[in-house]
Amino acid sequence: MSSGSREQSDRRPVTITRLNEMQEANEPITMITAYDFPSAQVIEEVGVEIVLVGDSAANCVLGYDSTVPVGMDEMTMLTKAVRRGLRTPLLVGDLPFGSYEASNELAIASAQRLVKEAGCDAVKLEGGGASVERAAAIIGAGIPVMGHVGLTPQTATALGGMKAQGRTADVAIKVAEDAIALDQAGCFAIVIEAVPQAVAEMFSAKLNAITIGIGAGNRTDGQVLVLHDLVGFNAGHVAKFVKSYADVRGEMKRGVEGYVSEVRSGAFPGPEHVYSVDPSELERLQQRLNREDLGSTFSWDWEPLS
Ligand code: KIV
């Protein structure tokens, strides 16, 4: 356990009220993505405030080349697995592309599914514009909503690609307008992604909602990173704002290589990995096999390898 963190058993489930107290007290809020049961267990052991089952699952665990193809069935299945591994963090489910844009009814139905079937405490959606009305509708149905502005990967093509947003005043004002509209719609938190720190700071201070930055500097109320980026599990390019704290991919590769090499050399399994049997039982087994004639064309006479 990291120093300063509370004993696991002492921790109480994180509520939005608790997050608001942290925001008020300027205590940094930690948020991490997760997509499976064992990762959720590790996160629970360490203790973070918010876990997001992000649609980044599309890239990180499902092998799609963007977040666009992932659907509700896939997100629900992954979110259920994470739920089983968590007790204390606030669990936020990401509404995937196509699951909320078309109507308020669709948005509410998708959000309800993540809450009822997968056990989420809140849901997240991306963008301003029509998403603001969808967020208000979901909140009206009793489900807390986290917004997401700046670089919104589900609509990255319309933003000119996976690149920083808000580096000109014209784009920055659009990001600020989206954030303010989501704030006024009642979102309890807003993710601000890939926006210059100075810009994020300028409007973050004006919002009631808790601001969670990713590539937006350290003046937001909290930070989020994709789990697979921060533990070094993803291959290839990582964004400028990512910091890797471990080399899980390298460690996993070492493990797989060790196993393959020992199977090939005959070193695994060793004597410590096999079950023993009393020689008298083996003898009885051999007699039974012969007597019961389990294979008339097969000889059961054998000598154990030394
Ligand atoms: O899907 C995701 O992982 C996200 C985070 C980067 C905030 O939206």
Side-chain angles (χ1 to χ4, degrees):
M1 187 189 314
S2 64
S3 61
S5 63
R6 282 176 143 194
E7 283 296 333
Q8 206 180 332
S9 54
D10 290 352
R11 280 192 233 120
R12 292 217 296 267
V14 176
T15 59
I16 292 175
T17 308
R18 173 70 194 126
L19 295 174
N20 287 330
E21 285 166 5
M22 291 181 73
Q23 178 191 34
E24 196 64 26
N26 273 325
E27 274 181 65
I29 294 169
T30 53
M31 172 165 149
I32 281 183
T33 68
Y35 319 103
D36 62 42
F37 175 72
S39 308
Q41 285 184 310
V42 171
I43 292 167
E44 176 69 45
E45 276 175 38
V46 173
V48 305
E49 280 77 40
I50 307 175
V51 170
L52 168 72
V53 184
D55 63 355
S56 48
N59 311 84
C60 294
V61 297
L62 298 175
Y64 295 121
D65 60 8
S66 83
T67 58
V68 170
V70 71
M72 274 301 289
D73 288 346
E74 290 161 313
M75 289 303 295
T76 304
M77 190 266 282
L78 297 173
T79 309
K80 284 162 89 168
V82 171
R83 172 78 285 168
R84 290 182 205 112
L86 289 184
R87 189 179 67 81
T88 48
L90 191 91
L91 179 61
V92 180
D94 218 357
L95 290 169
F97 183 68
S99 72
Y100 60 93
E101 299 89 336
S103 69
N104 289 348
E105 291 70 26
L106 178 65
I108 293 171
S110 300
Q112 284 174 336
R113 187 165 172 206
L114 288 181
V115 171
K116 281 173 72 126
E117 264 185 61
C120 287
D121 302 302
V123 298
K124 180 170 86 59
L125 48 65
E126 289 189 7
S131 295
V132 176
E133 192 189 327
R134 304 294 171 257
I138 298 168
I139 295 164
I143 299 172
V145 174
M146 176 179 276
H148 184 155
V149 299
L151 174 57
T152 46
Q154 291 177 4
T155 47
T157 311
L159 299 175
M162 293 289 283
K163 57 179 201 183
Q165 301 294 305
R167 299 181 81 184
T168 64
D170 286 346
V171 178
I173 194 71
K174 168 85 179 71
V175 177
E177 280 167 2
D178 287 346
I180 291 165
L182 289 164
D183 191 38
Q184 288 172 351
C187 287
F188 77 98
I190 299 174
V191 169
I192 304 173
E193 178 164 353
V195 169
Q197 171 165 307
V199 173
E201 183 179 9
M202 218 176 265
F203 64 83
S204 168
K206 305 242 180 299
L207 303 174
N208 289 316
I210 292 157
T211 54
I212 305 284
I214 172 164
N218 65 1
R219 305 292 158 78
T220 48
D221 299 314
Q223 295 293 325
V224 60
L225 277 182
V226 165
L227 176 70
H228 286 46
D229 287 339
L230 78 92
V231 299
F233 200 2
N234 277 333
H237 169 79
V238 287
K240 173 186 168 68
F241 53 74
V242 167
K243 180 168 177 184
S244 293
Y245 293 83
D247 178 24
V248 164
R249 196 177 184 92
E251 194 53 30
M252 204 163 184
K253 195 166 169 220
R254 271 188 289 283
V256 173
E257 280 170 351
Y259 164 74
V260 168
S261 137
E262 287 204 354
V263 169
R264 287 186 179 146
S265 72
F268 176 82
E272 67 277 32
H273 303 118
V274 300
Y275 298 104
S276 63
V277 59
D278 195 290
S280 65
E281 290 299 323
L282 271 187
E283 174 97 42
R284 284 182 58 223
L285 171 64
Q286 191 168 345
Q287 283 164 6
R288 292 269 302 272
L289 288 172
N290 286 332
R291 200 170 54 239
E292 290 168 15
D293 193 26
L294 291 176
S296 53
T297 58
F298 197 86
S299 165
W300 290 103
D301 291 327
W302 61 281
E303 286 296 322
L305 291 172
S306 55

